[in-house]
């Protein structure tokens, strides 16, 4: 009951950090986007106070002299009419649509480019991702306590991996603590003379690194993140993340298709920006998951090592049988033991006989029917 209460408290703290970061990110988006437009796209100007829920991104007016003054005055008149509802005083939505039409006619005459962007719609996935990332990192690196929800999950994974390794070492009659306390070179040398699979070596290195982080012997922030993604996120949610990436790609293709059918106007890219943001975030998560995961799944690597060991054992047994049969044939003057064929040839012949017998029986059954 107490553990459940601690988890609830940690989750509430995580959600509060997430909500505060999300609110702060949305509040600062206008300043951030303005700086990005000015620094990265100097040929464009951002207007945020004309439409209530949309921003206007327009290419700069590069005309000079009297022409520039006239065009600037007309643009200000259109902005003023939109803000004060002069196009349609009785209907706010219709007033905005007519104002957009006037702006489109204006940019066509002045050969400029115009975009209407809804920031709360286009950039919401990025805000959610940023808030989730900040909440994850804060909850990961908070000192141990009820508020550190992600750190608690990390510690449970740390205990689980340590318990599994200890049980495996005990099953092979190997001193787990002695291996763990040895340096890397000594550890590799000791594991060479055990029956443990070599995959255990990388797991011991990961476990030892995160143990040093837990004990405060190192402050490298990538150690717990890598450990958590490798042994928790990648192992439990790898397929789910790949499925979400495929779903994001499907959404993006669908939105681009709507744009190709002209159902989404060229000057209103908010839906396309949202789809691009979703796919970008999912690909980043997939990249981090793959980068933090092991090269192969643990079971696959263990099976490959067992197969290699089994092949070596069979080869040694076959060679030993050849020696025994050769000695028996030489010592007994033949003794009726066939030494001309190898064991492998004998097994192949036996399998061929069985297959041929089955084929004959099947042919007889069909003939009788």
């Amino acid at each position: 009951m107490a553990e459940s209460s601690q988890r609830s408290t940690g989750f509430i703290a995580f959600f509060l950090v997430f909500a505060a970061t999300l609110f702060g990110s949305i509040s600062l988006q206008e300043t951030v986007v303005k700086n990005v437009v000015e620094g990265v796209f100097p040929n464009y100007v951002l207007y945020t106070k004309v439409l209530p829920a949309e921003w206007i991104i327009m290419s700069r007016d590069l005309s000079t002299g009297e022409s520039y003054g006239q065009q600037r005055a007309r643009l200000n008149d259109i902005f003023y009419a939109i803000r004060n509802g002069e196009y349609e005083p009785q209907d706010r939505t219709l007033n905005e649509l007519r104002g957009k039409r006037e702006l489109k006619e204006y940019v066509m005459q002045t050969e400029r480019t115009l975009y209407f962007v809804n920031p709360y719609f286009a950039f919401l996935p990025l805000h959610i991702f940023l808030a989730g990332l900040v909440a994850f990192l804060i909850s990961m690196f908070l000192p141990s306590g009820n508020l550190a929800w992600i750190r608690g999950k990390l510690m449970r994974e740390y205990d689980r991996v340590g318990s599994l390794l200890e049980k495996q070492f005990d099953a092979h009659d190997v001193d787990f603590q002695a291996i763990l306390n040895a340096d890397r070179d000594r550890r590799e040398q000791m594991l060479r003379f055990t029956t443990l699979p070599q995959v255990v070596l990388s797991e011991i290195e990961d476990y030892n690194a995160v143990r040093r982080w837990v004990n405060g012997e190192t402050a490298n922030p990538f150690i717990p993140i890598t450990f958590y993604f490798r042994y928790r996120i990648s192992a439990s949610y790898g397929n789910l993340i790949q499925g979400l990436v495929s779903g994001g790609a499907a959404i993006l293709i669908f939105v681009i298709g709507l744009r190709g059918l002209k159902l989404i106007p060229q000057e209103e890219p908010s839906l396309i920006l949202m789809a691009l943001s979703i796919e970008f975030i999912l690909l980043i998560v997939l990249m981090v998951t793959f980068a933090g995961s092991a090269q192969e799944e643990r079971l696959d690597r263990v099976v490959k090592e067992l197969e290699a060991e089994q092949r070596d054992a069979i080869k040694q047994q076959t060679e030993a049988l050849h020696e025994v049969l050769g000695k028996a044939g030489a010592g007994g003057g033949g003794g009726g033991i066939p030494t001309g064929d190898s064991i492998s040839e004998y097994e192949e012949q036996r399998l061929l006989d069985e297959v041929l017998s089955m084929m004959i029986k099947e042919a007889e059954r069909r003939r009788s029917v």
Side-chain angles (χ1 to χ4, degrees):
M1 192 70 180
E3 184 178 357
S4 177
S5 177
Q6 290 178 359
R7 292 181 183 178
S8 301
T9 304
F11 178 77
I12 292 172
F14 178 89
F15 178 78
L16 291 177
V17 174
F18 172 83
T21 307
L22 180 63
F23 177 77
S25 176
I26 293 176
S27 301
L28 295 174
Q29 71 176 352
E30 181 177 337
T31 303
V32 172
V33 174
K34 275 188 174 181
N35 292 331
V36 170
V37 170
E38 292 177 0
V40 181
F41 308 102
N43 193 39
Y44 287 85
V45 181
L46 178 66
Y47 302 97
T48 60
K49 305 299 183 182
V50 180
L51 296 170
E54 288 182 308
W55 292 348
I56 299 174
I57 301 177
M58 189 181 300
S59 57
R60 291 184 182 273
D61 186 2
L62 301 179
S63 59
T64 58
E66 184 178 354
S67 176
Y68 174 80
Q70 292 175 353
Q71 293 180 10
R72 186 67 183 175
R74 185 186 173 193
L75 182 61
N76 290 333
D77 291 341
I78 296 174
F79 285 170
Y80 181 83
I82 295 175
R83 293 192 192 102
N84 294 277
E86 293 184 358
Y87 291 111
E88 183 56 51
Q90 303 300 327
D91 192 333
R92 180 178 176 182
T93 302
L94 191 58
N95 177 76
E96 293 177 4
L97 293 175
R98 290 181 176 174
K100 288 182 178 181
R101 185 188 63 185
E102 291 294 327
L103 284 173
K104 292 176 185 178
E105 294 176 355
Y106 167 78
V107 298
M108 290 179 63
Q109 295 173 3
T110 58
E111 297 182 351
R112 298 170 66 181
T113 306
L114 175 69
Y115 298 103
F116 300 101
V117 177
N118 186 334
Y120 303 101
F121 189 72
F123 305 128
L124 183 60
L126 294 176
H127 293 303
I128 294 175
F129 175 69
L130 178 62
L133 180 62
V134 172
F136 174 85
L137 293 177
I138 290 177
S139 184
M140 170 73 76
F141 295 106
L142 277 176
S144 299
N146 296 341
L147 301 180
W149 183 48
I150 300 298
R151 188 186 181 98
K153 288 179 171 291
L154 171 68
M155 295 305 299
R156 285 194 293 273
E157 198 64 26
Y158 166 73
D159 294 337
R160 185 188 70 83
V161 173
S163 176
L164 291 177
L165 286 173
E166 188 171 2
K167 290 178 181 178
Q168 189 172 10
F169 274 65
D170 290 342
H172 289 261
D173 295 326
V174 180
D175 190 349
F176 177 66
Q177 291 300 325
I179 295 288
L180 196 63
N181 295 329
D183 57 41
R184 182 165 187 170
D185 295 336
R186 175 62 178 165
R187 188 182 301 123
E188 292 180 0
Q189 185 178 4
M190 294 171 67
L191 286 174
R192 255 189 228 114
F193 298 99
T194 67
T195 56
L196 288 163
Q198 289 299 311
V199 66
V200 174
L201 183 61
S202 62
E203 295 179 354
I204 285 291
E205 294 297 335
D206 294 337
Y207 180 78
N208 199 32
V210 78
R211 185 185 68 152
R212 292 176 61 245
W213 182 81
V214 170
N215 295 335
E217 299 174 9
T218 179
N220 188 347
F222 294 103
I223 290 177
I225 295 174
T226 302
F227 182 86
Y228 190 71
F229 267 86
R230 178 169 296 174
Y231 292 95
R232 179 60 180 175
I233 301 297
S234 178
S236 301
Y237 306 107
N239 292 335
L240 175 61
I241 293 173
Q242 294 185 47
L244 291 176
V245 171
S246 301
I251 293 173
L252 181 59
I253 292 172
F254 178 75
V255 172
I256 296 299
L258 294 179
R259 171 67 186 89
L261 295 173
K262 307 297 184 182
L263 296 177
I264 300 177
Q266 180 180 359
E267 62 274 5
E268 297 185 7
S270 299
L271 187 60
I272 296 176
L273 289 174
M274 185 194 71
L276 288 171
S277 301
I278 292 174
E279 184 63 14
F280 170 77
I281 291 168
L282 292 175
L283 287 174
I284 289 293
V285 173
L286 182 64
M287 179 195 70
V288 175
T289 302
F290 279 168
S293 62
Q295 294 296 322
E296 296 179 90
E297 291 296 332
R298 186 181 195 278
L299 181 59
D300 293 340
R301 290 182 287 170
V302 171
V303 168
K304 288 180 181 179
E305 292 180 3
L306 290 176
E307 288 177 350
E309 294 176 359
Q310 187 70 16
R311 285 195 298 269
D312 292 339
I314 292 174
K315 183 178 179 181
Q316 293 175 3
Q317 292 175 2
T318 304
E319 292 176 353
L321 285 173
H322 284 171
E323 293 179 1
V324 171
L325 292 175
K327 291 179 180 179
I337 300 176
T339 60
D341 295 333
S342 67
I343 300 298
S344 59
E345 291 174 347
Y346 172 77
E347 290 294 332
E348 290 177 2
Q349 186 63 39
R350 185 177 62 82
L351 289 174
L352 287 174
D353 291 342
E354 290 181 359
V355 172
L356 182 60
S357 175
M358 293 174 63
M359 293 175 64
I360 293 173
K361 289 180 180 179
E362 181 65 18
E364 292 177 350
R365 187 185 65 81
R366 291 183 180 180
R367 184 180 299 174
S368 62
V369 173

